[in-house]
Amino acid sequence: MYEPYPVPELARDLKQVRYSSLWTFAKQDFRLLAFFLIIASLIGFGIGYFWICISLAFLLFFLQQMRSLYLVNDWISNRPYDVPPNLHGIWGALLFNVYRSQRQERIVQAEMVGLIDRAQSSLVALDEAVMLIDENHQIEWWNPAAEKLLGIQPLDRGRNILTILRQPSFIEYFNHIDQAPDGLKMKSSVHEGQYVQVKMTQFGGDSRLLFAYDMTRMHNLEQMRKDFVDNISHELRTPLTVLSGYIETFTDQEDINPRWKRAFEQMQSQTRRMNALVNDLLLLSRLENEKTIAKNQIIEMPSLMNQLFDDAHAYNVDYGHTLNLNIDSHYDLIGSDVELASAFSNLITNAIKYTPKGGTITIGWHDDGNQGYFTVEDTGIGIDPKHLPRLTERFYRVDSARSRQTGGTGLGLAIVKHVLMQHNAHLEVESKENQGSIFKVVFPKERLYYET
Ligand code: ADP
């Protein structure tokens, strides 16, 4: 427990002993000197050795000053925290000022230490784990919650954090904090089935503050949500296949009553929509389960771009847009070809869908030596900037009616986001209402491949 720094009492009451100027104190010295000189001159006249007596008076005054100097030096070197010796004249003033500023400094210091102590006590009382890690990655300080949650022990002080929290995901996060602004969710190494969310902040060079909390409940709820969507999508698949099979058979019959034909066509289009929805949900749930995806194939960009361009032409038949292709990079991509092709194609079909007939769509691939950019630019309906932050949420639509009309499931951009996340890439959107949009996928250097 912290003991407040002792602040000694002032010998003289600060409020009472106030000096107006150095001159006030210097006057005391002059008075003393004058006193010595008067006495010396009287004695000098009396005994007939005037100058000798005057010299002796100066000598006495000098000795008296030397004594004061000695006392000041002794106090500063040996007992700086004690009450200073009671001196008169300028030495007294000097001592008093040194003592006063020293005392004020100690009061401020005591307040600071008190503040640090209070901050520390509140951190100790937290349910969340807090840990200080120095620039050599050694653990400097932690609170009791860190012991419970992360298994830190008293002996770990000064040990490298990476020798204690050794999960590869943590090491990866530790080395690239800036790439995971939301922190890291990891399995607890202390309790089976427990999950912790870890967030680190760098300060003062390479020191770090680690903050962690138990998120098992949230993880379980999220898992329940995923399982539910996954199960229900699987369960819907079979009845939908049966339904669409029969509907297709009936629709194709030539002798069908025209009234029924229209109804069957509508049923067919709705079952197709449901099928697309179920497939997208299943794809999303597969994407969330990161391990199932191979992400290290070399994808030849010229051939992928040409393939996407051909598909776009096929989809564009009903829309009649002008389509352009710009390839301005020698880099290929490292990733999962099927997933990336599906994400890119989602962006392209959106651009075609959300552009009124006769627009221009430009698909591009370029780089700036540091990052790779896949872009889709359209001259379509655009998006009000207020929608942009929520665009990649599941089922988020700017205009639900229009989106349904175009046969969208509302999951396209959510799928794109997940595919990109798994490739350490991200999506940037620039858009102006009624003028068009640019969807830009940004790939980091480590995802670019150049055959030498
Ligand atoms: P949807 O299946 O409805 O198209 P997405 O997830 O692909 O769902 O897109 C979400 C919403 O973003 C769309 O409903 C649409 O409002 C908007 N959007 C996507 N791409 C564009 C675009 N190129 N231009 C205008 N709006 C777009």
Side-chain angles (χ1 to χ4, degrees), residues 8-250:
E9 285 302 313
L10 257 187
R12 292 172 271 189
D13 185 356
L14 277 177
K15 284 181 191 133
Q16 281 171 19
V17 185
R18 286 226 173 267
Y19 71 96
S20 49
S21 69
L22 193 63
W23 173 240
T24 319
F25 287 88
K27 273 197 294 195
Q28 291 178 352
D29 284 331
F30 286 126
R31 255 186 255 128
L32 185 69
L33 181 60
F35 174 72
F36 282 164
L37 289 176
I38 290 168
I39 298 292
S41 54
L42 287 175
I43 296 173
F45 269 127
I47 60 173
Y49 291 103
F50 180 77
W51 289 114
I52 291 180
C53 285
I54 290 291
S55 309
L56 280 175
F58 274 114
L59 184 66
L60 205 60
F61 181 74
F62 177 71
L63 287 176
Q64 201 272 343
Q65 294 296 311
M66 291 313 286
R67 176 182 163 270
S68 297
L69 181 62
Y70 168 79
L71 289 174
V72 169
N73 182 54
D74 177 54
W75 177 71
I76 289 175
S77 355
N78 302 327
R79 298 168 282 118
Y81 296 116
D82 285 359
V83 175
N86 203 353
L87 296 178
H88 293 282
I90 45 174
W91 291 113
L94 180 77
L95 264 194
F96 177 63
N97 284 332
V98 169
Y99 183 63
R100 194 170 62 161
S101 66
Q102 199 190 50
R103 189 171 186 272
Q104 272 165 357
E105 203 174 295
R106 263 181 280 157
I107 290 171
V108 172
Q109 212 175 20
E111 275 173 5
M112 293 297 291
V113 175
L115 201 68
I116 292 171
D117 185 49
R118 290 229 323 267
Q120 191 165 324
S121 315
S122 53
L123 290 178
V124 165
L126 273 181
D127 282 339
E128 287 79 13
V130 180
M131 209 191 294
L132 273 177
I133 300 160
D134 70 13
E135 55 271 23
N136 300 318
H137 306 169
Q138 289 166 344
I139 305 180
E140 245 177 351
W141 184 90
W142 64 92
N143 67 351
E147 297 183 4
K148 272 195 255 158
L149 214 57
L150 303 170
I152 309 295
Q153 289 164 7
L155 281 176
D156 294 335
R157 188 181 301 279
R159 272 182 67 188
N160 190 318
I161 180 76
L162 297 177
T163 62
I164 299 165
L165 301 177
R166 280 180 292 190
Q167 289 99 316
S169 58
F170 180 78
I171 296 173
E172 172 74 17
Y173 172 54
F174 191 90
N175 293 327
H176 304 101
I177 300 183
D178 41 337
Q179 282 175 19
D182 296 335
L184 166 78
K185 184 176 101 178
M186 63 179 199
K187 269 189 180 167
S188 162
S189 50
V190 188
H191 304 287
E192 184 77 14
Q194 191 182 38
Y195 286 83
V196 283
Q197 179 74 25
V198 181
K199 176 102 178 65
M200 251 183 293
T201 313
Q202 265 173 315
F203 66 96
D206 199 25
S207 298
R208 289 151 200 244
L209 176 72
L210 183 148
F211 189 79
Y213 59 88
D214 182 358
M215 55 107 57
T216 315
R217 210 177 105 78
M218 253 152 71
H219 170 83
N220 290 345
L221 283 172
E222 205 179 307
Q223 196 55 46
M224 262 168 66
R225 197 245 326 141
K226 278 186 200 161
D227 291 348
F228 175 75
V229 174
D230 206 22
N231 290 339
I232 210 147
S233 313
H234 272 295
E235 292 301 325
L236 281 173
R237 234 181 172 181
T238 321
L240 267 175
T241 319
V242 175
L243 269 178
S244 41
Y246 279 120
I247 292 169
E248 211 159 304
T249 318
F250 284 126

Side-chain angles (χ1 to χ4, degrees), residues 346 350-351 353-354 378 381-383 391 396-399 403 408-414 437 439:
N346 248 315
N350 272 353
K353 269 190 327 193
Y354 296 110
D378 65 54
I381 57 169
I383 304 161
L391 214 57
Y396 187 83
R397 283 139 166 169
V398 175
D399 178 348
S403 174
T409 60
L411 293 170
L413 291 183
S437 318
F439 282 73

Side-chain angles (χ1 to χ4, degrees), residues 160-413:
N160 190 318
I161 180 76
L162 297 177
T163 62
I164 299 165
L165 301 177
R166 280 180 292 190
Q167 289 99 316
S169 58
F170 180 78
I171 296 173
E172 172 74 17
Y173 172 54
F174 191 90
N175 293 327
H176 304 101
I177 300 183
D178 41 337
Q179 282 175 19
D182 296 335
L184 166 78
K185 184 176 101 178
M186 63 179 199
K187 269 189 180 167
S188 162
S189 50
V190 188
H191 304 287
E192 184 77 14
Q194 191 182 38
Y195 286 83
V196 283
Q197 179 74 25
V198 181
K199 176 102 178 65
M200 251 183 293
T201 313
Q202 265 173 315
F203 66 96
D206 199 25
S207 298
R208 289 151 200 244
L209 176 72
L210 183 148
F211 189 79
Y213 59 88
D214 182 358
M215 55 107 57
T216 315
R217 210 177 105 78
M218 253 152 71
H219 170 83
N220 290 345
L221 283 172
E222 205 179 307
Q223 196 55 46
M224 262 168 66
R225 197 245 326 141
K226 278 186 200 161
D227 291 348
F228 175 75
V229 174
D230 206 22
N231 290 339
I232 210 147
S233 313
H234 272 295
E235 292 301 325
L236 281 173
R237 234 181 172 181
T238 321
L240 267 175
T241 319
V242 175
L243 269 178
S244 41
Y246 279 120
I247 292 169
E248 211 159 304
T249 318
F250 284 126
T251 320
D252 289 348
Q253 292 211 342
E254 284 178 6
D255 54 347
I256 191 168
N257 181 332
R259 270 169 55 202
W260 284 107
K261 190 168 173 64
R262 166 120 183 84
F264 274 115
E265 272 169 4
Q266 270 187 359
M267 280 193 247
Q268 195 176 29
S269 103
Q270 290 307 318
T271 39
R272 271 198 201 126
R273 259 198 77 206
M274 277 170 82
N275 248 325
L277 195 67
V278 165
N279 287 339
D280 276 359
L281 281 172
L282 284 171
L283 176 59
L284 251 182
S285 111
R286 193 160 62 83
L287 285 169
E288 279 178 335
N289 187 4
E290 227 175 326
K291 282 164 233 137
T292 56
I293 292 176
K295 281 178 282 174
N296 47 12
Q297 294 158 328
I298 292 166
I299 306 162
E300 282 180 24
M301 280 311 273
S303 99
L304 175 65
M305 293 296 285
N306 280 306
Q307 178 63 47
L308 290 169
F309 195 55
D310 291 346
D311 294 348
H313 272 294
Y315 190 74
N316 187 38
V317 173
D318 293 339
Y319 295 87
H321 301 311
T322 307
L323 301 184
N324 300 318
L325 177 67
N326 280 341
I327 303 177
D328 189 19
S329 168
H330 297 297
Y331 280 111
D332 287 328
L333 266 180
I334 304 172
S336 167
D337 57 356
V338 180
E339 317 298 342
L340 281 175
S342 123
F344 293 162
S345 140
N346 248 315
L347 296 177
I348 298 169
T349 43
N350 272 353
I352 296 176
K353 269 190 327 193
Y354 296 110
T355 299
K357 282 186 180 170
T360 307
I361 315 289
T362 307
I363 308 165
W365 171 239
H366 64 276
D367 72 87
D368 60 7
N370 201 30
Q371 289 177 315
Y373 305 96
F374 171 83
T375 52
V376 182
E377 196 173 340
D378 65 54
T379 54
I381 57 169
I383 304 161
D384 186 333
K386 73 172 185 229
H387 296 291
L388 294 182
R390 299 193 56 194
L391 214 57
T392 54
E393 284 176 20
R394 279 152 216 243
F395 299 114
Y396 187 83
R397 283 139 166 169
V398 175
D399 178 348
S400 311
R402 185 194 283 264
S403 174
R404 264 188 217 108
Q405 219 180 348
T406 54
T409 60
L411 293 170
L413 291 183

